[in-house]
Amino acid sequence: MKLYGYFRSSAAYRVRIALNLKNIAYESVSVHLLKDGGQQNSESYKALNPTGLVPTLVDGDLAIGQSMAILEYLEETRPEPALLPPDAQGRARVRAIAQTIACDIHPLNNLRVLKYLKHTLGVDEAAKDAWYRHWVETGLASVEAMLSRSDRTGRFCHGDQPGLADLCLVPQLFNARRFNCDENAFPTIVRIDAACAELEAFQKAAPDRQPDAEA
């Protein structure tokens, strides 16, 4: 397998964790989102992934964009260890947490949105960062409530084994910290993030451990 991504991409980070949890060997291919006008905009990359987004997973002659689709593909083709619970209610709960992050929080603070705010709409740096913090903190407050109010939350988002929700949560919190979001209101999230940080699969997937990592 080849994973085309960028070390700080939340979506690529999710997939790296999943590949590590499932012990799947892969080759990392860097797509620098800032160099050369954004390498994701090159004709060669768009031939692979027409959205011009990362990550893209290549498995044989199959190329998959969209991290959540990639994660479902990995779960269906390499089911052990499982990223989803065995019961329908549990799977629905985990998907709801994961999609709150991947669909509600992440798109509003993605790089292309922040660049549009700054370079097209003329929003200054302080206002751009305020936009980021508002939507991240609003979304994480929802996730915190989902986790803290449920007796199905354990050491991790769902029980005592890491899964789909955790590998979405950890990258989002990483980027929230980069923009100085206030995490004091999210004690359950912070606790789960700390538990994930103890696991090698999460450690190896961290941005600063990637071949294309920058300061």
Side-chain angles (χ1 to χ4, degrees):
M1 286 190 183
K2 290 185 178 181
L3 179 65
Y4 291 76
Y6 180 61
F7 75 107
R8 273 200 298 252
S9 163
S10 296
Y13 192 171
R14 297 170 196 152
V15 177
R16 293 196 301 264
I17 298 169
L19 290 166
N20 293 341
L21 282 171
K22 290 181 175 290
N23 295 307
I24 300 171
Y26 69 97
E27 177 186 348
S28 181
V29 182
S30 177
V31 180
H32 202 292
L33 302 185
L34 300 175
K35 289 181 179 177
D36 307 319
Q39 293 173 353
Q40 72 277 15
N41 298 315
S42 68
E43 290 185 12
S44 60
Y45 184 71
K46 283 197 169 182
L48 188 67
N49 184 340
T51 68
L53 298 172
V54 294
T56 301
L57 182 76
V58 175
D59 186 15
D61 59 358
L62 176 67
I64 314 170
Q66 292 298 333
S67 64
M68 301 307 287
I70 294 170
L71 296 173
E72 293 280 359
Y73 172 76
L74 294 176
E75 183 72 350
E76 291 174 7
T77 59
R78 281 88 169 169
E80 297 297 334
L83 299 178
L84 289 166
D87 62 299
Q89 289 187 357
R91 291 194 298 273
R93 177 178 182 264
V94 167
R95 286 186 172 115
I97 296 167
Q99 290 177 23
T100 297
I101 297 165
C103 302
D104 293 345
I105 303 174
H106 179 246
L108 288 170
N109 59 74
N110 202 359
L111 178 63
R112 63 178 181 170
V113 172
L114 300 181
K115 288 176 68 175
Y116 187 82
L117 286 171
K118 183 175 180 179
H119 299 299
T120 302
L121 299 183
V123 171
D124 64 29
E125 195 72 17
K128 175 179 70 68
D129 289 352
W131 161 285
Y132 183 103
R133 285 190 292 271
H134 170 78
W135 291 115
V136 170
E137 290 172 3
T138 298
L140 288 181
S142 298
V143 174
E144 175 69 22
M146 296 166 79
L147 294 170
S148 64
R149 297 174 186 175
S150 174
D151 60 7
R152 304 203 73 175
T153 301
R155 184 176 180 222
F156 300 99
C157 288
H158 191 84
D160 295 324
Q161 297 296 324
L164 185 70
D166 304 282
L167 52 85
C168 288
L169 182 65
V170 168
Q172 187 60 68
L173 189 59
F174 168 81
N175 276 322
R177 286 168 172 155
R178 286 184 58 229
F179 282 81
N180 299 313
C181 292
D182 182 8
E183 59 186 82
N184 291 325
F186 316 126
T188 312
I189 288 174
V190 171
R191 175 184 63 75
I192 291 170
D193 176 74
C196 291
E198 296 177 4
L199 304 181
E200 184 180 15
F202 286 81
Q203 295 167 5
K204 288 171 59 179
D208 63 359
R209 296 279 297 273
Q210 304 317 301
D212 60 339
E214 300 171 358

